[in-house]
């Protein structure tokens, strides 16, 4: 019989998320519901609920659960928002977002990762995520504006096209900086005014593409 890791998932939520200050009930429920082990390669499945990132192939990673939860909580989703994620990777973050809001767009540069994420999301019955293949440092203009944007790879600065695609009143969370020296930033838009707050030091894979790291 296939293992479903219910106990491991519950412990992850209690110790790594609630225990470290993640308090949004809807966010905690989403982490309890989404089977993270299905988003990691077979050989790492037994490590899926450990406190760290894991390789997903092509030199890329699925992020540490706490960081995924922390970034998600900052978006303050109520269930009605249209959200853009840059860097689909395994599709896990997109699955979490799909449980918290109406419409999710996610964009991935590596076609094979996008295809695998599409298959995994279909396998668990997610229907409100659209996966696009392309350079997400330019955003995804076709579905803009977005009430929330989440970037899961680090570029040298906030990409101007993403600020442009943020809706009035919208929020964006992203890592900014060079390899090994990045911080998480929260941006808010009010009309044509943008405000920025610097949060945690983080370590993400590089954002590639036109507005990414050279
Ligand atoms: N959110 C992912 C998850 O839940 O598994 C983790 C993403 S991984 C840390 C970062 C991803 O960003 C990689 O899959 C990488 O290929 C992708 N990426 C890097 N630069 C990109 C770009 N310019 N456009 C779209 N995706 C990009």
């Amino acid at each position: 019989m296939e293992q479903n890791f219910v106990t491991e998932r519950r412990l992850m939520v209690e110790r790594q998320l609630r225990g470290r200050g993640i308090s949004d009930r809807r966010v905690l429920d989403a982490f309890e519901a989404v089977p993270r082990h299905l988003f990691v390669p077979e050989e790492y499945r037994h490590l899926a609920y450990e406190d760290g990132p894991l390789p997903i192939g092509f030199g890329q990673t699925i992020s540490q659960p706490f960081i995924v939860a922390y970034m998600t909580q900052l978006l303050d989703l109520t269930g009605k928002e249209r959200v853009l994620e840059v860097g689909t990777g395994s599709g896990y973050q997109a699955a979490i977002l799909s449980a918290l809001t109406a419409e999710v767009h996610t964009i991935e540069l590596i076609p094979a990762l996008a295809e695998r994420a599409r298959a995994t999301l279909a396998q668990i019955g997610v229907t409100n995520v659209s996966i696009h293949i392309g350079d997400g440092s330019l955003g995804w203009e076709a579905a803009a504006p977005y009430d929330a944007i989440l970037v899961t790879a680090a570029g040298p600065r906030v990409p101007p096209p993403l600020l442009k695609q943020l809706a009035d009143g919208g929020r964006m969370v992203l890592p900014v900086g060079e390899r090994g020296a990045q911080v998480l930033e929260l941006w808010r838009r009010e009309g044509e005014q943008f405000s920025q707050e610097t949060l945690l030091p983080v370590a993400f894979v590089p954002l590639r593409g036109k507005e990414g790291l050279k």
Side-chain angles (χ1 to χ4, degrees):
M1 205 181 76
E2 199 169 295
Q3 202 182 344
N4 56 18
F5 297 98
V6 172
T7 306
E8 288 83 352
R9 194 153 55 248
R10 192 159 296 153
L11 284 174
M12 172 190 83
V13 169
E14 279 312 306
R15 292 180 183 162
Q16 300 172 36
L17 308 188
R18 239 159 67 84
R20 286 197 196 126
I22 304 297
S23 55
D24 183 329
R25 190 67 254 171
R26 295 180 70 242
V27 172
L28 294 168
D29 287 348
F31 278 82
E32 192 133 351
V34 175
R36 190 170 193 265
H37 60 282
L38 297 181
F39 292 84
V40 306
E42 197 93 36
E43 66 266 36
Y44 297 116
R45 222 151 253 190
H46 63 292
L47 301 174
Y49 297 96
E50 299 289 312
D51 186 16
L54 288 170
I56 55 171
F58 305 91
Q60 305 304 322
T61 53
I62 177 172
S63 306
Q64 180 191 19
F66 173 72
I67 291 293
V68 179
Y70 184 81
M71 292 172 78
T72 305
Q73 180 167 269
L74 285 169
L75 298 181
D76 235 352
L77 299 173
T78 65
K80 298 194 195 102
E81 296 84 358
R82 182 188 301 152
V83 179
L84 175 68
E85 179 198 18
V86 175
T88 313
S90 68
Y92 178 68
Q93 171 79 75
I96 294 288
L97 293 170
S98 84
L100 293 168
T101 195
E103 182 181 343
V104 179
H105 292 265
T106 179
I107 176 160
E108 173 58 53
L109 201 55
I110 301 173
L113 284 178
E115 292 311 333
R116 196 163 69 199
R118 188 170 281 141
T120 312
L121 291 170
Q123 183 188 352
I124 64 166
V126 168
T127 56
N128 60 344
V129 174
S130 303
I131 301 185
H132 310 288
I133 296 170
D135 179 5
S137 77
L138 301 175
W140 184 257
E141 181 68 46
Y146 301 98
D147 305 299
I149 299 179
L150 197 155
V151 184
T152 67
R157 61 175 182 281
V158 61
L162 295 184
L163 288 176
K164 221 169 129 211
Q165 291 173 28
L166 198 58
D168 193 4
R171 300 156 79 85
M172 167 157 56
V173 180
L174 78 168
V176 174
E178 302 294 325
R179 286 174 183 79
Q182 306 158 2
V183 289
L184 208 57
E185 293 185 355
L186 170 63
W187 286 74
R188 290 188 185 86
R189 179 176 195 163
E190 296 298 338
E192 287 315 303
Q193 305 282 17
F194 293 90
S195 61
Q196 181 255 320
E197 223 178 294
T198 299
L199 303 159
L200 299 181
V202 284
F204 275 84
V205 296
L207 179 71
R208 313 229 175 249
K210 188 150 184 287
E211 299 291 339
L213 283 171
K214 297 295 168 248

